[in-house]
Every structure is written in structure tokens, then in C-alpha cells.
Amino acid sequence: MTNTSTSSTTRSTASRTGRTASGTGAGKGRGRRQLSAAQREAADSARAARIAALHERISERVEQLTADPQWRAMLDAAAKFHTYSLNNQLLIALQAARLGISPTRVAGFGTWKALGRSVVKGSTGLAVLAPCTYTPKDSRPDTGTGQDTRQATPAAAATAGSGAAGEPAGGHADQPARGRVLRGFRVAHVFDISQTQGDPLPDIIPELLTGNAPAALWGALAVQVARHGYTLTREACGQANGLTDPAARTVRVRPDVADAQAVKTLAHDLLTAPSRVGERARPVRAQRTRRRGFGCDHPGWLAAALSPPMWGGAAVARAGECDPSRDVTGLTVAAVGGIRVSDELPGVAVLDAAGVPVPAIADYLCSLLASGAATGSVRSYALALLRWWRFLAAVELGWQRASRVEARDFVLWMRLAATTAGGATRAGRVGERVGYAPATINHNLAVLRGFYADRMAAGDGPVVNPVPEAVGRGGQRVGAHANPMAPPERHRRAPLRQKTPARLPRSLPDHLFDTLFAAMRSDRDRALLALYVSTGARASELLGVSVDRVDVGAQRIGVHRKGSGRLQWLPGSADAFVWLRLYQQRQDRPAGQQALWLTRRAPHRPLTYSAMRRVLQRANEELGTGWTLHDLRHTAAFRMAEDPRLTLTDVQWVLGHAQLATTQIYLRPREDAVVARVLEHHRARGDRPARQPAAPPSGGYRPDSLRELLGQARDAR
């Protein structure tokens, strides 16, 4: 029934190799002893008898589990051998009890050898059931390509591959090999670590924290425990560091650990305790998404208790408490801090109220830059984070202590914000037409969520992200595991996100563009406007053109696309290149300067986006309009979309859109064109001549006479 290693190690190894080869049936007979039919029948009968005996032992062991001490012993054995099936766990526990050993780590002969340990001579192995598998052969004929077309059958979707002799790979004695079919079971032998000798195995011993905890942190966590009706004590907890008893509503922490470890244990119990005692159990999926520990009233309470203040000198609210009475309508956000452009990475630094760069923001912006974000995007993210930092300074709270309440108040303030004299921002009254645009608010929330997610992944920041995530109707993330063949599902907006109105892109009618073009003061500005409305390039793309990216003969200009950075040659109008040549002839260009667009005043430097925007602002002040550089791109798109000789894909290529749906927005008619056509319709109806009333019949003839006369005329015809 058992295997006793009384012979030499070589003989034991050879015996194992023979059992493995005869059990798997995967080889071609290489190195196998040829048996007669009678010998094979006898070996099969003996194997079947051993397996039947093992099953009888399992049945007897199950019957003995009715007694409480034996049941507890089986549970302890199951906890130690969780990689084995219940049958093998029972076999190991039964045989180990007979041998007088307490098994802790069990593995096969080959596994112990790979770990640098050898089985002690004379040790008795523990018999377990191991699967017998084989590789089925495909009966399809050869295709004539010289390749083997034999494959495993679909039923061979089993688990891991074969391992050392006498056990499956990885020490799992119950898993067949991957790509193989289970044929039956055989008897294999494993050994406990107490039956081996050699190198000690590496072990992971948890280390308890030492030292003192942050000031008042234990008290803040104790308040949370008492608030939910639990009693906190420092008592012995057996082998655990802490113990929570939902039935008795008590929380215990070991008294013989340092203050730092005690705070860590208490925080862990607060997060992992059942949310509501006595509540009916929810499905596993719901428990994973809604479990918050003690059913806390606010998900950011622990973040507020664990996080230190980070804004210089700002007062910190009490841990775990949020001010529900904060009046954002009377809140004034001072224009403290700022943005500083530097040559060091990430190129943009956000300064706090003391004028010191914020390290957390610098790390996040470096991550964005390393992920391929453009410098303009990094600056946009920096401005959004600066706005959030100023708000936190106004409410006197550190960024690590921010919770969902602060995110909510931040959105309310942005909806009601109005700039006052001196650059400060105050919140207006409810109903005033002030505040940031909905798209700006959503952009800020997206930046904040990405910032806190990055910091939390780095081990810094609050426990819960202050900006909530959008959740689909099934409780999953919006767009997760979406079927591309199914119609898109409509989901609700994420919490705090604003509803953005669907507006048509603003463009310039021809007569207004001519007026704006006439307001330009130089050939450079006229060339830029003409190229904007003929190429459809973005403002930054056209300003980044170099002198070697201009092909006057082909009427093309090369721009580097936003995002991808790829070079694309865009066609332009003939008038635009005429103005470009006039500008190049009159512009003084320093030696070695490759930028196409330069400033008019010395020293001549490359023209920036801010400088070109100021050129357009001066024209708007003169004309009383409010056009932007991006409106010129919309104008070019509408002009091309209205041309029947250009397809929509042509317009998509010129504009550089990744999706055709983005270009389809320009198929909708412009407001000025619709208004002009409707007014023309009304004028046409008003200019039509009035309809003359029909002349009455001539007098003197009776109607019946006329009918008779006309009827006789028809009959004659």
C-alpha cells in the first residue's frame, strides 16, 4: 500500500520513472520494458486494487468526520494542503497520522530535489491519486505540406503540463496536463518536509511596524469605531494582531505591539469589517463593489484620518469629519500660486501659495509626458490642477485629505465662479449666468481623477479617489467588455459630470471672413488666415511649420499632426501661397532660423500661439467680434463639406480625424445659411403676383342650357 525507500536512491528514482512512464501513456515506448498480455493484465489488476483500497480509506475517513475534534483536524489539514483535492487531503492526513508526523509542506521527490533538498533514506511516502493523461492523435490525413496536422482534440482543454516524476507539474497532484485527455488515475507518492534534508526553504515572515503613530490618528480611528456602536479595547487576540467580532460589536487590538502597528491594525479592521451586522447577504459581486467597512457614512473618512496636510501652513479639518455647511456661494478663491515654464522635466511646474513647486504634481506630469502626452496637454493638465490647488487653499485643506465632499463643492464653485478685480474668483448667486463652461468642469474632473489615481497607485494620497467614476447599468465600468457588434448602450452621466449642450461648430460666413481678413495689418497675418481657412490645419500645427515644409509649386504645406505627430502635406489655396511669398520676401530671417513664422519685431523669434491669438484679439476689438483661431478650422471644414466635388472621407483626411463620425458634424447646415434660405423663401412668397379670381359665367344663358349645349358639343366630337 505504501512505498518504502529501503533501497538505494537510484533504485527509488528508477521506480518512479517507471511509474510515470507507464502511467502517462504519452511516450512511444522509449526505455520501457515490454510486458506480455498476462503481465499487463496482472499489473492493471494490482493498480485497480490499490486505487480501490485508497477509496475505501477515503470513505472511512469521511464517516469519522462526524466527531468535532476530527472535523477540526481535517479543516487544519485542508488549510495546509489547499492545492490538493479533498480526497488527497484526507489521504495525506490519514497516512501522516499513522506515521506519526505532522505534515506542513508536501511535494514529490523531483520537486524536493529541485528545491535543493533530498528525501531521507528509509522514509515512507504518502500515497495520493495522480491523473493519467495521454495526447490524442488527429486522424486527419497529411495535407501534403510537410507539416504535422495532428492536434489535441477539443476535449483536451485541461490544465498544466507534466512535471517531475511521481507528480504533476507545480506539485498539484490533481491536475492533468494541458492539451491532454484524462484517462484515469494512478497512485503517486509525496513526502513531507520533515522527511527531507538539505537547504532551508525561503520563508516570508511578516514584520510588525515599530515606532510611534502620527499624532491623534489613533483617536480619530477610535471615534469612527465608537460612532458605529463598536467597543474598542487593547486585549490579547491569539495569533492575530486584531480581531473584530460583529456579533459582540467589539474591536480588539493586541496590547504588546507598537503604536504604529496598532494604528495599522485598527485601520485594517475598519476597512475589512462587515458593513452591516445582521443584514441579509448580498451577491458576491455586490459585496465587492459596496463593501466599505462598518457601513461608513462617507467613503473618504479614512482618507481624511490617515493623510497629513500638504498645503503650506493651512489649517486642517478634524479627521473623519466633513463640513456639510460649507457655503460655496460666499467662497473667495485667491489667485495664489501659478504656472512656471522651465527647462527641466516635465517643462511646466505648478507653484503653491508659497511659490514652491508641488512635487506630487511634478511626478504626475512627468508620468503624462512619459506616456506620450503633448506639451500642450501637459500645460492644460497643470492649469486644471492649479485651479484645484487654489480651491483647496481657500477651504484650508490638504490635497491628500480631499474627499468626495470637496470634489462636490469644487464643482459647485466652478458652476457659480465669477472673476473679481485683482484676479480672485468668487462664487456668484444661484441663478446668475456666471461660472465655467460645462466642458471645462468635466475636463477638470477628468484631470483630478487621473491625478489621484496615479498618486494612489504610487502609494500616496487618499484611500478613496475624490472624483467618482462612471458606473454602467450592470455595476461595471462604462464600456467594459462591450460587444462591438451590439448597438451602443446609453448610460447615465458619471456623478458630478455636467451636461454639455450639443452645439454646432462656429464658423465664419464669407462676408465676415472678408471683413476679418481686411483687418489684418501684415502679409504674415494675411498669409496665416488664408492658410487656416484653406488647409484646415489646427492653430499649433500651422505655427509649427518649418521653411523646408513648404512646396509652393505643388501648393502644399507640411504639418505635424496633433497627437500622432506624423507629417502630412496639406493642399492650400493659390491666394494663400501668394501672401506667403510676399511675407517671405519682406521678412528678415536670422541665419539658421528654420521656423517659417517669425515675429515682426527684432529679435525675430518663432511666432507662438499666444502671439497669434493676440493678433486675432486686436482684430476682434476693432470689429466688435469674438472669433478664435479654431473657428477658422471650422470654417475650412464647412467649406469643404458643402462642396459636392469632395467626399466626406476627403474632408476627414484633410482635417486629420481618426473617426469618420467626428467629421460628420460638418454635414449639418450652418445657422446663417439656414436663416438666409428661409428668408429667401419668405421673400419669394411675398413677391409672387396675386392670383386673379376666376370670371363668373356670362349672363343670359341658363345653366341647364349650357350643360345641354356643351354636352351636345362633346357628343358631336
mmCIF file of all heavy atoms in Angstrom, residues 569-607:
data_model
loop_
_atom_site.group_PDB
_atom_site.id
_atom_site.type_symbol
_atom_site.label_atom_id
_atom_site.label_comp_id
_atom_site.label_asym_id
_atom_site.label_seq_id
_atom_site.Cartn_x
_atom_site.Cartn_y
_atom_site.Cartn_z
ATOM 1 N N TRP A 569 1.130 66.436 -45.671
ATOM 2 C CA TRP A 569 1.176 67.563 -46.591
ATOM 3 C C TRP A 569 -0.251 67.945 -46.971
ATOM 4 O O TRP A 569 -0.974 67.155 -47.565
ATOM 5 C CB TRP A 569 1.978 67.198 -47.836
ATOM 6 C CG TRP A 569 3.439 67.042 -47.552
ATOM 7 C CD1 TRP A 569 4.082 65.933 -47.110
ATOM 8 C CD2 TRP A 569 4.431 68.060 -47.671
ATOM 9 N NE1 TRP A 569 5.417 66.178 -46.950
ATOM 10 C CE2 TRP A 569 5.665 67.478 -47.295
ATOM 11 C CE3 TRP A 569 4.410 69.400 -48.068
ATOM 12 C CZ2 TRP A 569 6.862 68.201 -47.293
ATOM 13 C CZ3 TRP A 569 5.608 70.104 -48.077
ATOM 14 C CH2 TRP A 569 6.811 69.513 -47.693
ATOM 15 N N LEU A 570 -0.630 69.178 -46.622
ATOM 16 C CA LEU A 570 -1.996 69.651 -46.856
ATOM 17 C C LEU A 570 -2.007 70.630 -48.022
ATOM 18 O O LEU A 570 -1.146 71.517 -48.107
ATOM 19 C CB LEU A 570 -2.544 70.342 -45.599
ATOM 20 C CG LEU A 570 -2.629 69.479 -44.336
ATOM 21 C CD1 LEU A 570 -3.129 70.315 -43.169
ATOM 22 C CD2 LEU A 570 -3.529 68.279 -44.570
ATOM 23 N N PRO A 571 -2.979 70.495 -48.906
ATOM 24 C CA PRO A 571 -3.089 71.461 -50.013
ATOM 25 C C PRO A 571 -3.707 72.762 -49.536
ATOM 26 O O PRO A 571 -4.558 72.786 -48.647
ATOM 27 C CB PRO A 571 -3.998 70.737 -51.012
ATOM 28 C CG PRO A 571 -4.830 69.821 -50.157
ATOM 29 C CD PRO A 571 -3.972 69.411 -49.012
ATOM 30 N N GLY A 572 -3.261 73.851 -50.129
ATOM 31 C CA GLY A 572 -3.782 75.176 -49.797
ATOM 32 C C GLY A 572 -4.200 75.925 -51.049
ATOM 33 O O GLY A 572 -3.925 75.513 -52.183
ATOM 34 N N SER A 573 -4.857 77.053 -50.857
ATOM 35 C CA SER A 573 -5.325 77.853 -51.991
ATOM 36 C C SER A 573 -4.170 78.635 -52.609
ATOM 37 O O SER A 573 -3.138 78.885 -51.965
ATOM 38 C CB SER A 573 -6.427 78.808 -51.533
ATOM 39 O OG SER A 573 -5.920 79.728 -50.586
ATOM 40 N N ALA A 574 -4.352 79.034 -53.856
ATOM 41 C CA ALA A 574 -3.314 79.813 -54.539
ATOM 42 C C ALA A 574 -3.127 81.175 -53.895
ATOM 43 O O ALA A 574 -1.991 81.673 -53.782
ATOM 44 C CB ALA A 574 -3.674 79.955 -56.021
ATOM 45 N N ASP A 575 -4.218 81.810 -53.456
ATOM 46 C CA ASP A 575 -4.093 83.117 -52.796
ATOM 47 C C ASP A 575 -3.261 83.022 -51.528
ATOM 48 O O ASP A 575 -2.485 83.940 -51.213
ATOM 49 C CB ASP A 575 -5.487 83.661 -52.469
ATOM 50 C CG ASP A 575 -6.289 83.979 -53.722
ATOM 51 O OD1 ASP A 575 -5.665 84.110 -54.800
ATOM 52 O OD2 ASP A 575 -7.526 84.087 -53.620
ATOM 53 N N ALA A 576 -3.399 81.907 -50.796
ATOM 54 C CA ALA A 576 -2.643 81.762 -49.558
ATOM 55 C C ALA A 576 -1.145 81.718 -49.833
ATOM 56 O O ALA A 576 -0.341 82.339 -49.108
ATOM 57 C CB ALA A 576 -3.094 80.500 -48.829
ATOM 58 N N PHE A 577 -0.732 81.041 -50.892
ATOM 59 C CA PHE A 577 0.699 80.962 -51.201
ATOM 60 C C PHE A 577 1.216 82.260 -51.798
ATOM 61 O O PHE A 577 2.417 82.565 -51.674
ATOM 62 C CB PHE A 577 0.952 79.784 -52.140
ATOM 63 C CG PHE A 577 0.917 78.461 -51.448
ATOM 64 C CD1 PHE A 577 -0.255 77.722 -51.392
ATOM 65 C CD2 PHE A 577 2.048 77.968 -50.826
ATOM 66 C CE1 PHE A 577 -0.290 76.503 -50.748
ATOM 67 C CE2 PHE A 577 2.022 76.747 -50.177
ATOM 68 C CZ PHE A 577 0.847 76.010 -50.126
ATOM 69 N N VAL A 578 0.350 83.058 -52.416
ATOM 70 C CA VAL A 578 0.771 84.389 -52.866
ATOM 71 C C VAL A 578 1.100 85.263 -51.669
ATOM 72 O O VAL A 578 2.151 85.941 -51.629
ATOM 73 C CB VAL A 578 -0.319 85.016 -53.739
ATOM 74 C CG1 VAL A 578 0.007 86.483 -54.009
ATOM 75 C CG2 VAL A 578 -0.463 84.263 -55.052
ATOM 76 N N TRP A 579 0.225 85.261 -50.672
ATOM 77 C CA TRP A 579 0.508 86.047 -49.464
ATOM 78 C C TRP A 579 1.727 85.494 -48.723
ATOM 79 O O TRP A 579 2.484 86.254 -48.106
ATOM 80 C CB TRP A 579 -0.710 86.043 -48.547
ATOM 81 C CG TRP A 579 -1.867 86.840 -49.065
ATOM 82 C CD1 TRP A 579 -3.057 86.385 -49.513
ATOM 83 C CD2 TRP A 579 -1.911 88.266 -49.198
ATOM 84 N NE1 TRP A 579 -3.861 87.427 -49.919
ATOM 85 C CE2 TRP A 579 -3.174 88.604 -49.731
ATOM 86 C CE3 TRP A 579 -1.010 89.305 -48.938
ATOM 87 C CZ2 TRP A 579 -3.564 89.910 -49.991
ATOM 88 C CZ3 TRP A 579 -1.402 90.618 -49.194
ATOM 89 C CH2 TRP A 579 -2.657 90.913 -49.709
ATOM 90 N N LEU A 580 1.922 84.180 -48.779
ATOM 91 C CA LEU A 580 3.087 83.588 -48.125
ATOM 92 C C LEU A 580 4.377 84.057 -48.782
ATOM 93 O O LEU A 580 5.361 84.382 -48.092
ATOM 94 C CB LEU A 580 2.985 82.063 -48.163
ATOM 95 C CG LEU A 580 4.178 81.283 -47.600
ATOM 96 C CD1 LEU A 580 4.412 81.614 -46.141
ATOM 97 C CD2 LEU A 580 3.970 79.777 -47.786
ATOM 98 N N ARG A 581 4.417 84.123 -50.111
ATOM 99 C CA ARG A 581 5.614 84.587 -50.806
ATOM 100 C C ARG A 581 5.882 86.053 -50.510
ATOM 101 O O ARG A 581 7.042 86.468 -50.340
ATOM 102 C CB ARG A 581 5.454 84.364 -52.309
ATOM 103 C CG ARG A 581 5.389 82.895 -52.713
ATOM 104 C CD ARG A 581 6.645 82.158 -52.343
ATOM 105 N NE ARG A 581 7.801 82.677 -53.070
ATOM 106 C CZ ARG A 581 9.056 82.363 -52.814
ATOM 107 N NH1 ARG A 581 9.335 81.549 -51.798
ATOM 108 N NH2 ARG A 581 10.045 82.868 -53.532
ATOM 109 N N LEU A 582 4.828 86.864 -50.437
ATOM 110 C CA LEU A 582 5.012 88.277 -50.078
ATOM 111 C C LEU A 582 5.598 88.406 -48.674
ATOM 112 O O LEU A 582 6.472 89.247 -48.426
ATOM 113 C CB LEU A 582 3.686 89.014 -50.183
ATOM 114 C CG LEU A 582 3.107 89.181 -51.603
ATOM 115 C CD1 LEU A 582 1.727 89.834 -51.531
ATOM 116 C CD2 LEU A 582 4.049 90.020 -52.464
ATOM 117 N N TYR A 583 5.114 87.589 -47.762
ATOM 118 C CA TYR A 583 5.643 87.628 -46.394
ATOM 119 C C TYR A 583 7.111 87.215 -46.365
ATOM 120 O O TYR A 583 7.935 87.849 -45.688
ATOM 121 C CB TYR A 583 4.795 86.729 -45.502
ATOM 122 C CG TYR A 583 5.523 86.213 -44.285
ATOM 123 C CD1 TYR A 583 5.900 87.063 -43.243
ATOM 124 C CD2 TYR A 583 5.865 84.859 -44.173
ATOM 125 C CE1 TYR A 583 6.580 86.579 -42.133
ATOM 126 C CE2 TYR A 583 6.543 84.372 -43.072
ATOM 127 C CZ TYR A 583 6.902 85.240 -42.057
ATOM 128 O OH TYR A 583 7.587 84.781 -40.961
ATOM 129 N N GLN A 584 7.485 86.169 -47.094
ATOM 130 C CA GLN A 584 8.862 85.689 -47.074
ATOM 131 C C GLN A 584 9.828 86.695 -47.697
ATOM 132 O O GLN A 584 10.982 86.799 -47.274
ATOM 133 C CB GLN A 584 8.951 84.347 -47.809
ATOM 134 C CG GLN A 584 8.297 83.188 -47.071
ATOM 135 C CD GLN A 584 8.389 81.889 -47.838
ATOM 136 O OE1 GLN A 584 8.309 81.880 -49.069
ATOM 137 N NE2 GLN A 584 8.549 80.781 -47.119
ATOM 138 N N GLN A 585 9.382 87.433 -48.692
ATOM 139 C CA GLN A 585 10.260 88.416 -49.324
ATOM 140 C C GLN A 585 10.546 89.595 -48.405
ATOM 141 O O GLN A 585 11.630 90.193 -48.468
ATOM 142 C CB GLN A 585 9.627 88.905 -50.624
ATOM 143 C CG GLN A 585 9.595 87.850 -51.733
ATOM 144 C CD GLN A 585 8.906 88.345 -52.982
ATOM 145 O OE1 GLN A 585 8.426 89.494 -53.032
ATOM 146 N NE2 GLN A 585 8.833 87.489 -54.009
ATOM 147 N N ARG A 586 9.620 89.980 -47.556
ATOM 148 C CA ARG A 586 9.780 91.174 -46.713
ATOM 149 C C ARG A 586 10.236 90.846 -45.295
ATOM 150 O O ARG A 586 10.537 91.772 -44.527
ATOM 151 C CB ARG A 586 8.457 91.927 -46.652
ATOM 152 C CG ARG A 586 7.961 92.374 -48.025
ATOM 153 C CD ARG A 586 6.597 93.019 -47.922
ATOM 154 N NE ARG A 586 6.091 93.400 -49.249
ATOM 155 C CZ ARG A 586 4.898 93.964 -49.461
ATOM 156 N NH1 ARG A 586 4.095 94.206 -48.448
ATOM 157 N NH2 ARG A 586 4.531 94.262 -50.688
ATOM 158 N N GLN A 587 10.289 89.569 -44.919
ATOM 159 C CA GLN A 587 10.633 89.191 -43.548
ATOM 160 C C GLN A 587 12.144 89.029 -43.409
ATOM 161 O O GLN A 587 12.781 88.339 -44.207
ATOM 162 C CB GLN A 587 9.938 87.882 -43.163
ATOM 163 C CG GLN A 587 10.316 87.349 -41.792
ATOM 164 C CD GLN A 587 9.824 88.244 -40.669
ATOM 165 O OE1 GLN A 587 8.705 88.734 -40.702
ATOM 166 N NE2 GLN A 587 10.678 88.484 -39.689
ATOM 167 N N ASP A 588 12.707 89.656 -42.385
ATOM 168 C CA ASP A 588 14.118 89.474 -42.055
ATOM 169 C C ASP A 588 14.274 88.167 -41.275
ATOM 170 O O ASP A 588 13.655 87.986 -40.217
ATOM 171 C CB ASP A 588 14.631 90.647 -41.218
ATOM 172 C CG ASP A 588 14.610 91.952 -42.009
ATOM 173 O OD1 ASP A 588 14.695 91.877 -43.250
ATOM 174 O OD2 ASP A 588 14.472 93.026 -41.382
ATOM 175 N N ARG A 589 15.108 87.291 -41.782
ATOM 176 C CA ARG A 589 15.258 85.967 -41.172
ATOM 177 C C ARG A 589 16.684 85.800 -40.656
ATOM 178 O O ARG A 589 17.642 85.912 -41.418
ATOM 179 C CB ARG A 589 14.930 84.880 -42.183
ATOM 180 C CG ARG A 589 15.042 83.449 -41.647
ATOM 181 C CD ARG A 589 14.527 82.452 -42.666
ATOM 182 N NE ARG A 589 13.119 82.716 -42.949
ATOM 183 C CZ ARG A 589 12.114 82.275 -42.205
ATOM 184 N NH1 ARG A 589 12.375 81.543 -41.127
ATOM 185 N NH2 ARG A 589 10.873 82.558 -42.526
ATOM 186 N N PRO A 590 16.862 85.529 -39.371
ATOM 187 C CA PRO A 590 18.211 85.296 -38.850
ATOM 188 C C PRO A 590 18.825 84.045 -39.474
ATOM 189 O O PRO A 590 18.134 83.138 -39.930
ATOM 190 C CB PRO A 590 17.981 85.116 -37.344
ATOM 191 C CG PRO A 590 16.644 85.736 -37.079
ATOM 192 C CD PRO A 590 15.844 85.526 -38.318
ATOM 193 N N ALA A 591 20.130 84.000 -39.477
ATOM 194 C CA ALA A 591 20.831 82.856 -40.060
ATOM 195 C C ALA A 591 20.573 81.611 -39.229
ATOM 196 O O ALA A 591 20.668 81.628 -37.995
ATOM 197 C CB ALA A 591 22.334 83.146 -40.121
ATOM 198 N N GLY A 592 20.208 80.529 -39.923
ATOM 199 C CA GLY A 592 19.960 79.256 -39.257
ATOM 200 C C GLY A 592 18.576 79.094 -38.682
ATOM 201 O O GLY A 592 18.273 78.049 -38.093
ATOM 202 N N GLN A 593 17.725 80.101 -38.823
ATOM 203 C CA GLN A 593 16.368 80.011 -38.275
ATOM 204 C C GLN A 593 15.493 79.200 -39.231
ATOM 205 O O GLN A 593 15.301 79.565 -40.383
ATOM 206 C CB GLN A 593 15.782 81.419 -38.086
ATOM 207 C CG GLN A 593 14.384 81.434 -37.496
ATOM 208 C CD GLN A 593 14.286 80.758 -36.149
ATOM 209 O OE1 GLN A 593 13.802 79.633 -36.057
ATOM 210 N NE2 GLN A 593 14.796 81.425 -35.129
ATOM 211 N N GLN A 594 14.931 78.088 -38.747
ATOM 212 C CA GLN A 594 14.140 77.184 -39.571
ATOM 213 C C GLN A 594 12.642 77.396 -39.436
ATOM 214 O O GLN A 594 11.880 76.881 -40.259
ATOM 215 C CB GLN A 594 14.473 75.726 -39.217
ATOM 216 C CG GLN A 594 15.892 75.324 -39.559
ATOM 217 C CD GLN A 594 16.153 75.385 -41.056
ATOM 218 O OE1 GLN A 594 15.333 74.979 -41.868
ATOM 219 N NE2 GLN A 594 17.322 75.917 -41.421
ATOM 220 N N ALA A 595 12.212 78.120 -38.419
ATOM 221 C CA ALA A 595 10.776 78.341 -38.246
ATOM 222 C C ALA A 595 10.248 79.221 -39.372
ATOM 223 O O ALA A 595 10.874 80.216 -39.756
ATOM 224 C CB ALA A 595 10.496 78.981 -36.896
ATOM 225 N N LEU A 596 9.101 78.869 -39.927
ATOM 226 C CA LEU A 596 8.523 79.637 -41.035
ATOM 227 C C LEU A 596 7.947 80.959 -40.561
ATOM 228 O O LEU A 596 8.160 81.995 -41.198
ATOM 229 C CB LEU A 596 7.447 78.798 -41.734
ATOM 230 C CG LEU A 596 6.697 79.489 -42.881
ATOM 231 C CD1 LEU A 596 7.655 79.878 -44.005
ATOM 232 C CD2 LEU A 596 5.580 78.589 -43.409
ATOM 233 N N TRP A 597 7.236 80.937 -39.450
ATOM 234 C CA TRP A 597 6.555 82.138 -38.968
ATOM 235 C C TRP A 597 7.368 82.765 -37.850
ATOM 236 O O TRP A 597 7.644 82.126 -36.835
ATOM 237 C CB TRP A 597 5.154 81.783 -38.471
ATOM 238 C CG TRP A 597 4.365 80.971 -39.466
ATOM 239 C CD1 TRP A 597 4.087 79.642 -39.401
ATOM 240 C CD2 TRP A 597 3.787 81.443 -40.676
ATOM 241 N NE1 TRP A 597 3.365 79.245 -40.488
ATOM 242 C CE2 TRP A 597 3.153 80.339 -41.294
ATOM 243 C CE3 TRP A 597 3.724 82.682 -41.320
ATOM 244 C CZ2 TRP A 597 2.483 80.433 -42.509
ATOM 245 C CZ3 TRP A 597 3.048 82.787 -42.522
ATOM 246 C CH2 TRP A 597 2.435 81.675 -43.110
ATOM 247 N N LEU A 598 7.741 84.037 -38.055
ATOM 248 C CA LEU A 598 8.580 84.763 -37.103
ATOM 249 C C LEU A 598 7.870 86.030 -36.656
ATOM 250 O O LEU A 598 6.934 86.515 -37.304
ATOM 251 C CB LEU A 598 9.927 85.127 -37.731
ATOM 252 C CG LEU A 598 10.773 83.965 -38.279
ATOM 253 C CD1 LEU A 598 12.028 84.502 -38.935
ATOM 254 C CD2 LEU A 598 11.115 82.979 -37.168
ATOM 255 N N THR A 599 8.334 86.548 -35.531
ATOM 256 C CA THR A 599 7.793 87.810 -35.037
ATOM 257 C C THR A 599 8.258 88.962 -35.928
ATOM 258 O O THR A 599 9.323 88.903 -36.557
ATOM 259 C CB THR A 599 8.242 88.052 -33.590
ATOM 260 O OG1 THR A 599 9.680 88.032 -33.540
ATOM 261 C CG2 THR A 599 7.701 86.970 -32.667
ATOM 262 N N ARG A 600 7.490 90.030 -35.962
ATOM 263 C CA ARG A 600 7.814 91.166 -36.828
ATOM 264 C C ARG A 600 8.890 92.045 -36.223
ATOM 265 O O ARG A 600 9.654 92.687 -36.943
ATOM 266 C CB ARG A 600 6.547 91.982 -37.092
ATOM 267 C CG ARG A 600 5.459 91.198 -37.839
ATOM 268 C CD ARG A 600 4.168 91.983 -37.918
ATOM 269 N NE ARG A 600 4.364 93.269 -38.566
ATOM 270 C CZ ARG A 600 3.454 94.237 -38.612
ATOM 271 N NH1 ARG A 600 2.279 94.063 -38.006
ATOM 272 N NH2 ARG A 600 3.701 95.379 -39.226
ATOM 273 N N ARG A 601 8.935 92.089 -34.907
ATOM 274 C CA ARG A 601 9.914 92.944 -34.236
ATOM 275 C C ARG A 601 11.162 92.135 -33.889
ATOM 276 O O ARG A 601 11.102 90.947 -33.623
ATOM 277 C CB ARG A 601 9.311 93.547 -32.973
ATOM 278 C CG ARG A 601 8.101 94.455 -33.227
ATOM 279 C CD ARG A 601 7.551 94.985 -31.931
ATOM 280 N NE ARG A 601 6.372 95.824 -32.147
ATOM 281 C CZ ARG A 601 5.657 96.382 -31.168
ATOM 282 N NH1 ARG A 601 6.015 96.177 -29.903
ATOM 283 N NH2 ARG A 601 4.602 97.129 -31.455
ATOM 284 N N ALA A 602 12.306 92.854 -33.902
ATOM 285 C CA ALA A 602 13.573 92.223 -33.536
ATOM 286 C C ALA A 602 13.658 92.110 -32.006
ATOM 287 O O ALA A 602 13.134 92.975 -31.279
ATOM 288 C CB ALA A 602 14.741 93.040 -34.082
ATOM 289 N N PRO A 603 14.296 91.098 -31.476
ATOM 290 C CA PRO A 603 14.904 89.978 -32.199
ATOM 291 C C PRO A 603 13.824 89.037 -32.726
ATOM 292 O O PRO A 603 12.856 88.740 -32.028
ATOM 293 C CB PRO A 603 15.767 89.303 -31.131
ATOM 294 C CG PRO A 603 15.088 89.617 -29.833
ATOM 295 C CD PRO A 603 14.490 90.980 -30.003
ATOM 296 N N HIS A 604 14.004 88.588 -33.950
ATOM 297 C CA HIS A 604 12.996 87.778 -34.605
ATOM 298 C C HIS A 604 13.032 86.353 -34.042
ATOM 299 O O HIS A 604 14.018 85.635 -34.199
ATOM 300 C CB HIS A 604 13.249 87.765 -36.111
ATOM 301 C CG HIS A 604 13.209 89.146 -36.723
ATOM 302 N ND1 HIS A 604 12.049 89.861 -36.863
ATOM 303 C CD2 HIS A 604 14.204 89.944 -37.222
ATOM 304 C CE1 HIS A 604 12.297 91.029 -37.427
ATOM 305 N NE2 HIS A 604 13.615 91.109 -37.652
ATOM 306 N N ARG A 605 11.941 85.982 -33.411
ATOM 307 C CA ARG A 605 11.801 84.658 -32.802
ATOM 308 C C ARG A 605 10.619 83.936 -33.435
ATOM 309 O O ARG A 605 9.767 84.571 -34.072
ATOM 310 C CB ARG A 605 11.587 84.793 -31.292
ATOM 311 C CG ARG A 605 12.713 85.478 -30.548
ATOM 312 C CD ARG A 605 12.439 85.469 -29.052
ATOM 313 N NE ARG A 605 11.193 86.158 -28.750
ATOM 314 C CZ ARG A 605 11.091 87.455 -28.501
ATOM 315 N NH1 ARG A 605 12.190 88.220 -28.553
ATOM 316 N NH2 ARG A 605 9.938 88.002 -28.220
ATOM 317 N N PRO A 606 10.535 82.640 -33.247
ATOM 318 C CA PRO A 606 9.376 81.910 -33.784
ATOM 319 C C PRO A 606 8.077 82.432 -33.188
ATOM 320 O O PRO A 606 7.995 82.737 -31.988
ATOM 321 C CB PRO A 606 9.644 80.452 -33.383
ATOM 322 C CG PRO A 606 11.126 80.371 -33.235
ATOM 323 C CD PRO A 606 11.561 81.708 -32.706
ATOM 324 N N LEU A 607 7.078 82.550 -34.021
ATOM 325 C CA LEU A 607 5.772 83.040 -33.601
ATOM 326 C C LEU A 607 5.080 81.975 -32.753
ATOM 327 O O LEU A 607 4.968 80.816 -33.162
ATOM 328 C CB LEU A 607 4.921 83.381 -34.820
ATOM 329 C CG LEU A 607 3.572 84.063 -34.559
ATOM 330 C CD1 LEU A 607 3.781 85.441 -33.965
ATOM 331 C CD2 LEU A 607 2.760 84.143 -35.849
#
